[in-house]
Amino acid sequence: MILLYRKFGKTNEMVSVLGFGCMRLPIIANDPTNIDEDKAINMIRYAIDSGVNYVDTAYPYHGTGFTQGGASEPFVAKALRDGYRKRIMLATKLPSWLIKTRTDMEKYLNEQLERLETDVIDFYLVHSLNKGVWPVLKEAGISEFLDQAIKDGRIKYAGFSFHDESGLFKEIVDYYDWSFCQIQYNYLDEDYQAGKEGLEYAAKKGLGIAIMEPLRGGNIVNLPTAANTLLDQAEVKRTPAELALRWVWNHPEVSVVLSGMTTMEQATENIKVAQEAQANSLTANEVGIVEEIKNLFKERIKVNCTACAYCMPCPAGINIPFCFSTYNDYWVFDGTPSAKQRYEILTKFAAPASKCVECGKCEEHCPQGIAIREELKNVNELFE
């Protein structure tokens, strides 16, 4: 079967319904900056050979913080050699939190063009817009910068990614003649951040829509027993990942769904599902099952973490996403003893939650707005 494609809003580009997100590539020795290049290149090229034509990265991905470029962009350049760059549309993002002036914008775009070994970025996003960075960007002249970058050919289309409330999302959509946007959307986050309201608003304005976190950082792939029982009752048997992805693709407003794939197995499964991802194709039975699973999760999940690692590195040496993943697993999976075992193993390699010095740096970057310092106290109380 052939991968499906959808029109990307007013750009009129046809993008593969599955995009390759380069934020969770396979790594070596638990070092996010040390990408396992052989495995990752094989995965990306397999995806492109299978029809994926949208590859997404960003300035800080696979880095140790947000003040300098990570390893993802240079790696993507390497993966796209040997003719692969010509076969895809490349997306990356301006690090909005580092921008104070128009000169900063020029600096980072030019640096990214060099890091990506390309003359043009097809889809250039202003990264992770929120109420903190948006006023600064407007004052610094983001509109004029994007207009100029399009005019001189350094970028083809301008867009933005978003992590804040729906009211601000609409304001940003209306501020500039964006070609596309990227929002977090999955069946647990239908009413979170931009949400369904924002999805429909942007679509009516003609924006192409890319979706991030369709599996919520993998949290809706590993289901509790009660949810798996619901899946077993479905008319059509699907894996948790397949059902979650198809739920997003069921929305006709969605053009491309970004999956941060870590293994070839994930890439193979996602590509297989993407071959059948028609809009409005889920049955009423499947939609009902998703609603029941959603309610079950919402009753049990304690921390709204997607493991994006924007909070890292922690100055105290705490692996914050792993702490929250383990903490959530304890509650989702009926107090499973394996959660405590995993936490004990974690603290052999990283500081325990009790070592938090409450500096608050993590919360400055958390796109989910989690009260991380308070939640780490809860992790400490349960596991230590």
Side-chain angles (χ1 to χ4, degrees), residues 42-297:
N42 285 338
M43 287 169 56
I44 289 178
R45 293 187 175 183
Y46 168 78
I48 296 171
D49 290 339
S50 300
V52 171
N53 71 354
Y54 192 108
V55 175
D56 172 270
T57 182
Y59 188 72
Y61 288 176
H62 281 277
T64 57
F66 280 74
T67 58
Q68 58 187 6
S72 181
E73 285 182 331
F75 162 76
V76 167
K78 186 178 293 187
L80 295 180
R81 292 172 185 169
D82 304 322
Y84 279 87
R85 173 65 183 94
K86 296 178 181 179
R87 297 170 59 184
I88 61 97
M89 288 173 277
L90 179 61
T92 195
K93 308 173 186 77
L94 176 74
S96 61
W97 55 93
L98 297 177
I99 303 302
K100 298 294 183 288
T101 66
R102 171 76 179 271
T103 301
D104 292 336
M105 300 177 198
E106 300 289 346
K107 168 194 169 184
Y108 286 109
L109 172 56
N110 291 333
E111 180 183 344
Q112 288 175 288
L113 287 165
E114 290 183 11
R115 282 159 55 85
L116 288 163
E117 298 176 13
T118 189
D119 295 326
V120 58
I121 294 166
D122 301 289
F123 297 111
Y124 196 57
L125 301 93
V126 186
H127 199 173
S128 196
L129 291 186
N130 57 56
K131 61 180 177 294
V133 301
W134 180 234
V136 179
L137 289 164
K138 287 193 294 183
E139 180 67 24
I142 188 65
S143 297
E144 294 78 9
F145 162 71
L146 293 172
D147 285 344
Q148 182 60 45
I150 293 170
K151 183 178 179 180
D152 63 34
R154 285 177 294 169
I155 70 175
K156 194 170 183 181
Y157 301 108
F160 67 95
S161 66
F162 182 82
H163 287 291
D164 212 308
E165 300 298 323
S166 60
L168 179 63
F169 178 78
K170 292 178 181 178
E171 175 190 324
I172 294 172
V173 168
D174 293 340
Y175 182 81
Y176 181 75
D177 185 21
W178 308 99
S179 295
F180 69 107
C181 66
Q182 182 173 310
I183 63 172
Q184 178 171 322
Y185 197 62
N186 56 67
Y187 66 66
L188 288 183
D189 293 327
E190 191 172 10
D191 300 312
Y192 183 66
Q193 295 186 359
K196 186 175 183 179
E197 182 180 357
L199 175 76
E200 294 176 346
Y201 188 83
K204 287 178 181 177
K205 297 282 185 174
L207 275 66
I209 298 173
I211 299 298
M212 56 183 153
E213 303 289 2
L215 303 179
R216 216 167 194 254
N219 289 341
I220 50 182
V221 172
N222 301 310
L223 300 179
T225 302
N228 279 316
T229 300
L230 290 170
L231 274 185
D232 290 340
Q233 298 169 359
E235 297 169 349
V236 180
K237 304 306 177 188
R238 305 193 191 281
T239 66
E242 179 182 3
L243 184 60
L245 287 169
R246 288 182 67 109
W247 183 90
V248 179
W249 277 316
N250 203 52
H251 295 73
E253 301 91 349
V254 171
S255 299
V256 57
V257 172
L258 302 175
S259 179
M261 295 168 272
T262 306
T263 67
M264 183 63 82
E265 181 183 22
Q266 292 171 354
T268 302
E269 179 181 6
N270 289 353
I271 288 167
K272 181 180 178 182
V273 177
Q275 294 173 339
E276 303 175 348
Q278 298 283 2
N280 298 316
S281 63
L282 285 188
T283 67
N285 173 259
E286 289 174 314
V287 172
I289 287 174
V290 168
E291 285 299 313
E292 292 185 64
I293 293 175
K294 181 197 304 186
N295 292 334
L296 190 151
F297 261 106

Side-chain angles (χ1 to χ4, degrees), residues 346-357:
L346 164 70
T347 54
K348 296 182 186 298
F349 303 96
S354 58
K355 296 298 182 181
C356 174
V357 296

